[in-house]
Amino acid sequence: RSGMRLMSHVSEPAHPSPMVVNAPSSGVSTAQFRGAFANFTTTVSIIATDGPAGMAGLTCSAVCAVSDDPPLLLACVHGQNAATAAMKTNKVMSVSCLRADQSELSQAFAGVGRLTVEERFALGEWHVLATGAPCSTSALATLDCEIVDIRDIGTHSIFVGKVVATSAREAGEPLVYQRRAYATTRNL
């Protein structure tokens, strides 16, 4: 065995990984973790909220489905992001999966240019579905959620959202992030 703990339904790899990095005795360093994770390809989304704490939004590449019955998703957001506190108070969020031509919007919501919240939202067109959270009109898909659970773990807050409304487009390519750069996908 390679020292990995395997889940009972996952088989041992046939060949050991060629790029094994021995972790220091205290664990994997932040640089090693980020370097390895940079190879993962992730969808780029804007998470937005509105309510008693006001309107806020951020770029997020850590969103995934949790369950389809009931429809749940999770989003991992850095705990120091200004939008995190608003999301915790407002208890609603939208997750808009961006199109390949929306990298400028992604950059603005990531904090590039230090735009105000109002300036960020002025860069796109927005509508609301069920919760009142802003949803990108031109996104590939939007999931409108009521936040049903929040966990603060390490540097991040994990938001679990119950999807109460959706919108989707038939055409378009997604904006993705890999190796610290924007990209898109193509069919093989």
Side-chain angles (χ1 to χ4, degrees), residues 14-101:
H15 305 286
S17 171
M19 295 188 64
V20 175
V21 176
N22 292 328
S25 61
S26 61
V28 175
S29 73
T30 301
Q32 288 172 317
F33 178 76
R34 288 182 178 177
F37 228 92
N39 290 295
F40 283 70
T41 301
T42 59
T43 305
V44 179
S45 299
I46 290 180
I47 298 180
T49 188
D50 200 2
M55 192 164 53
L58 59 103
T59 298
C60 184
S61 62
V63 175
C64 70
V66 173
S67 168
D68 62 356
D69 189 16
L72 299 171
L73 63 79
L74 69 77
C76 300
V77 178
H78 197 284
Q80 297 301 313
N81 190 298
T84 302
M87 291 168 60
K88 287 179 175 182
T89 300
N90 292 343
K91 304 264 191 270
V92 298
M93 66 181 177
S94 68
V95 179
S96 295
C97 174
L98 298 184
R99 290 189 337 258
D101 63 353

